């Protein structure tokens, strides 16, 4: 994880899944999106009125009694795989032991009646654990469990193939939910959890085929972990780690205490579309040391006011933005549904700044400055190969670093009214930049090499956008602040075909 660490000169409505139909991963070759076209994005209002579960037990289902402490865990243990359990209305409890939990068997289904709650009473750490595959949890509220930091309450062990639908997972410590391969999280409320709404992390292996659709993800990181562990990168409405293939669509991600959606370290092949991302304290979206994504048709508003203002008040000149790409780009050699990062047909309105493309020149495989310690790029499996003298020449010179490259930003609408954001400076920037490389002493990326590459050699391109309001642009390093004419002119030649109306945004 890394949010920018080094400056230029430093060393060191009930839910209806009325989602827009997907139209493929990339825009049609040669087609031009309508500049500034507004996405038609429904809001997934799940938490205020959750969908009700079955009022009676289904035929063949095992009934679970809330009056019997530990009944759910005990009946799960005594029943065969592929059993359906119906939880009666009321508050269900586990045994008071901190490690007491439900250990499903393969194919089990857990259905909550209207008003069914599984309550950890601030005593139990985990609700559902174990490694059984293809478990389903529907119409159930899971609350008040006390998972340790970085651990989760539901699917604690990141088992594969789980389906979480019409669930409310709220007021837990740690992560409300973990993720495994082929997991589907739909129409659920992930609310007010201590660290993450969901932590998509699998200790052994990568997560593939993840679907997150039509959920409300709100108020998470109640523990304010970024302040407790400065720079930990350990919070978010959802945090994704090493996920290969994710569809994140139709969600309402709002009012989280930190970043809304954060993909960190060797994620690949993401499609982030038709979401409403708003009023998160930090960035709406961070895509970090990761690859190949489509970000389209999202409504993104009023994000990053807290973090952006805090850093500006400290005098930090870095362009903190609401979409932040850090050492992330398109890579044709890594299989995905796209071979670039394409950001298009989004509306960004009254956020603290816009989109920042960033590379830390000192962050690469085997560098002490790599905050994703122990990880290397997906192009180099053996980190030890990234050492002198081989790293100074092809292919390792290119392959040992995560690169912000092949980013195509077009057809978006950027609106800024400073009176709404309540700012005068540093909230109005679009940026592509890097720091001055200095470390370690054997690094082949010292000096301005990375800044020159990300700015002019790595095929990062803005075009055919609409800008309303007093936007500024940062290129190469934080000191180069440009107006729209300089941004469009030589040597940067960005935003061809774009429209600038400085007086219209406020």
């Amino acid at each position: 994880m890394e949010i920018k660490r080094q400056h230029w000169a430093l060393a060191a409505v009930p839910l209806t899944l009325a989602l827009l139909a997907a139209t493929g991963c990339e825009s049609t070759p040669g087609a031009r999106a309508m500049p500034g076209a507004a996405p038609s994005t429904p809001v997934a209002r799940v938490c205020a009125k959750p969908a009700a579960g079955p009022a009676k037990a289904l035929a063949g289902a095992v009934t679970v009694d809330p009056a019997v402490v530990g009944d759910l865990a005990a009946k799960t243990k005594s029943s065969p795989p592929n059993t359906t359990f119906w939880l009666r209305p009321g508050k269900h409890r586990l045994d008071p032991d901190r490690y007491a939990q439900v250990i499903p068997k393969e194919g089990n289904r857990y259905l909550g009646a209207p008003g069914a709650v599984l309550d950890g009473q601030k005593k139990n750490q985990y609700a559902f654990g174990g490694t059984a595959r293809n478990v389903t949890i529907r119409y159930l509220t899971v609350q008040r469990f006390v998972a340790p930091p970085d651990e989760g309450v539901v699917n604690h062990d990141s088992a594969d193939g789980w389906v979480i639908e019409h669930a409310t997972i709220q007021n837990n410590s740690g992560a409300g939910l973990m993720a495994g391969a082929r997991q589907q999280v739909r129409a659920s409320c992930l609310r007010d959890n201590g660290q993450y709404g969901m932590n998509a992390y699998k200790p052994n292996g990568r997560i593939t085929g993840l679907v997150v659709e039509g959920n409300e993800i709100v108020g998470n990181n109640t523990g304010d972990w970024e302040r407790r562990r400065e720079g930990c990168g350990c919070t978010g409405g959802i945090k994704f780690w090493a996920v290969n293939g994710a569809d994140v669509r139709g969600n309402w991600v709002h009012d989280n205490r930190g970043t809304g959606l954060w993909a960190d370290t060797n994620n690949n092949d993401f499609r982030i579309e038709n979401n409403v991302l708003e009023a998160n304290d930090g960035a709406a979206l961070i895509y970090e040391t990761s690859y190949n994504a489509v970000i389209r048709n999202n409504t993104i508003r009023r994000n990053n006011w807290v973090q952006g203002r805090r850093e500006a008040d400290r005098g930090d000149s870095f362009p903190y933005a609401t979409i932040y790409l850090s050492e992330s780009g398109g890579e044709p050699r890594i299989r995905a549904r796209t071979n670039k990062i394409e950001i298009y047909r989004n509306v960004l309105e009254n956020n603290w700044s816009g989109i920042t493309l960033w590379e830390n020149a000192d962050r690469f495989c085997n560098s002490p400055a790599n905050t994703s310690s122990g990880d290397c790029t997906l192009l180099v499996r053996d980190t030890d190969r990234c050492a002198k003298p081989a790293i100074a020449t092809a292919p390792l010179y290119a392959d040992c670093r995560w690169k912000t490259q092949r980013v195509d930003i077009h057809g978006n609408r950027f609106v800024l009214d400073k009176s709404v954001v309540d700012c005068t400076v540093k909230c109005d920037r679009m940026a592509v930049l890097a720091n001055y490389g200095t470390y370690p002493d054997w690094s082949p990326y010292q000096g301005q090499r990375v800044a020159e590459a990300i700015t002019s050699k790595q095929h990062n391109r803005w075009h055919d956008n609409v800008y309303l309001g007093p936007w500024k642009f940062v290129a190469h390093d934080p000191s180069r602040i440009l107006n729209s004419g300089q941004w469009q002119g030589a040597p940067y030649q960005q935003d061809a075909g774009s429209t600038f109306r400085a007086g219209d945004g406020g």
Side-chain angles (χ1 to χ4, degrees):
M1 165 274 159
E2 176 191 79
I3 289 185
K4 188 274 315 176
R5 290 286 172 260
Q6 296 179 313
H7 296 280
W8 176 248
L10 296 182
V13 292
L15 174 67
T16 58
L17 296 181
L19 306 176
L20 299 179
T23 56
C25 192
E26 295 187 77
S27 59
T28 303
R32 173 179 290 185
M34 290 298 292
S40 176
T41 309
V43 175
R45 300 182 185 276
V46 180
C47 296
K49 191 176 180 180
K56 296 181 179 180
L58 303 181
V62 174
T63 297
V64 183
D65 188 349
V68 179
V69 173
D71 198 37
L72 179 59
K75 286 179 175 174
T76 295
K77 185 175 181 179
S78 63
S79 300
N82 300 302
T83 297
T84 296
F85 300 87
W86 179 70
L87 285 73
R88 290 183 181 275
K91 186 176 292 185
H92 297 254
R93 294 163 293 165
L94 302 175
D95 290 335
D97 181 85
R98 64 187 294 190
Y99 296 113
Q101 59 190 285
V102 181
I103 305 295
K105 296 174 183 176
E106 184 166 353
N108 280 2
R109 295 172 295 279
Y110 298 87
L111 307 179
V117 176
L118 181 59
D119 194 313
Q121 305 177 91
K122 297 294 182 181
K123 296 177 181 179
N124 309 117
Q125 291 190 350
Y126 317 121
F128 293 90
T131 60
R133 297 175 297 173
N134 304 326
V135 173
T136 298
I137 299 171
R138 291 191 175 104
Y139 306 109
L140 182 63
T141 294
V142 180
Q143 65 184 30
R144 301 204 310 154
F145 287 79
V146 286
D150 302 321
E151 297 186 41
V153 170
V154 175
N155 197 9
H156 169 261
D157 299 295
S158 301
D160 296 338
W162 284 40
V163 176
I164 316 295
E165 289 184 329
H166 302 291
T168 297
I169 303 174
Q170 64 183 10
N171 301 319
N172 302 287
S173 300
L177 175 63
M178 300 297 285
R182 305 180 310 284
Q183 181 160 301
Q184 301 176 41
V185 185
R186 289 193 166 98
S188 292
C189 172
L190 309 181
R191 173 171 61 188
D192 296 336
N193 296 290
Q195 191 176 5
Y196 308 98
M198 182 170 73
N199 185 12
Y201 170 73
K202 193 175 181 68
N204 300 309
R206 293 168 63 79
I207 295 172
T208 59
L210 179 62
V211 175
V212 183
E213 180 177 26
N215 306 283
E216 184 173 351
I217 302 156
V218 54
N220 296 289
N221 187 29
T222 59
D224 201 8
W225 279 94
E226 300 293 339
R227 287 184 180 269
R228 295 167 68 175
R229 296 180 182 175
E230 186 175 357
C232 71
C234 60
T235 59
I238 300 180
K239 191 75 182 281
F240 305 88
W241 311 82
V243 175
N244 186 24
D247 290 276
V248 183
R249 57 181 176 250
N251 303 285
W252 186 20
V253 185
H254 66 103
D255 294 283
N256 293 285
R257 193 172 188 175
T259 301
L261 302 175
W262 191 341
D264 186 354
T265 308
N266 285 339
N267 297 278
N268 175 52
D269 194 14
F270 271 53
R271 185 182 294 178
I272 301 170
E273 60 187 352
N274 303 324
N275 302 285
V276 176
L277 311 175
E278 65 179 328
N280 297 289
D281 284 2
L285 171 63
I286 299 177
Y287 206 69
E288 180 178 357
T289 54
S290 294
Y291 303 89
N292 299 327
V294 169
I295 302 163
R296 64 183 177 190
N297 297 332
N298 300 287
T299 299
I300 303 171
R301 56 198 178 206
R302 297 184 291 111
N303 296 281
N304 203 34
W305 288 14
V306 174
Q307 181 184 347
R309 194 182 318 279
R310 181 173 65 237
E311 300 304 328
D313 289 346
R314 291 174 178 173
D316 196 329
S317 63
F318 188 81
Y320 290 93
T322 195
I323 296 180
Y324 180 35
L325 270 58
S326 178
E327 297 90 22
S328 292
E331 176 49 73
R333 292 174 291 173
I334 298 173
R335 185 174 180 178
R337 293 168 290 181
T338 182
N339 58 21
K340 57 185 175 179
I341 293 182
E342 189 172 14
I343 304 174
Y344 69 101
R345 290 207 304 262
N346 304 284
V347 171
L348 284 79
E349 181 176 0
N350 292 326
N351 302 283
W352 191 281
S353 289
I355 299 173
T356 288
L357 311 186
W358 159 257
E359 274 192 46
N360 180 349
D362 301 329
R363 187 184 193 187
F364 54 91
C365 300
N366 218 18
S367 169
N370 177 20
T371 53
S372 297
S373 56
D375 288 295
C376 198
T377 69
L378 294 181
L379 299 172
V380 180
R381 299 292 178 166
D382 182 0
T383 301
D384 292 339
R385 293 178 58 206
C386 297
K388 65 179 300 186
I391 193 174
T393 58
L396 294 181
Y397 179 83
D399 292 352
C400 286
R401 66 176 300 108
W402 294 271
K403 293 188 290 186
T404 302
Q405 64 178 7
R406 297 174 57 83
V407 181
D408 188 359
I409 302 167
H410 64 98
N412 303 286
R413 183 179 180 90
F414 301 108
V415 180
L416 177 63
D417 185 336
K418 287 187 174 182
S419 69
V420 173
V421 182
D422 189 23
C423 73
T424 56
V425 295
K426 299 182 181 179
C427 65
D428 54 2
R429 292 172 292 178
M430 204 75 58
V432 53
L433 75 165
N435 61 318
Y436 191 93
T438 62
Y439 181 78
D441 58 9
W442 52 270
S443 169
Y445 312 110
Q446 295 189 16
Q448 300 184 14
R449 297 178 183 182
V450 174
E452 291 171 351
I454 189 175
T455 303
S456 60
K457 300 176 182 179
Q458 293 180 181
H459 308 286
N460 297 315
R461 185 177 176 228
W462 280 256
H463 62 98
D464 298 297
N465 299 294
V466 169
Y467 294 87
L468 306 179
W471 288 93
K472 295 183 174 65
F473 304 86
V474 181
H476 190 275
D477 66 82
S479 69
R480 300 192 189 183
I481 301 175
L482 314 172
N483 60 34
S484 60
Q486 293 167 320
W487 176 245
Q488 287 185 298
Y492 309 109
Q493 297 182 323
Q494 291 289 0
D495 265 315
S498 293
T499 300
F500 299 86
R501 299 202 293 268
D504 290 353

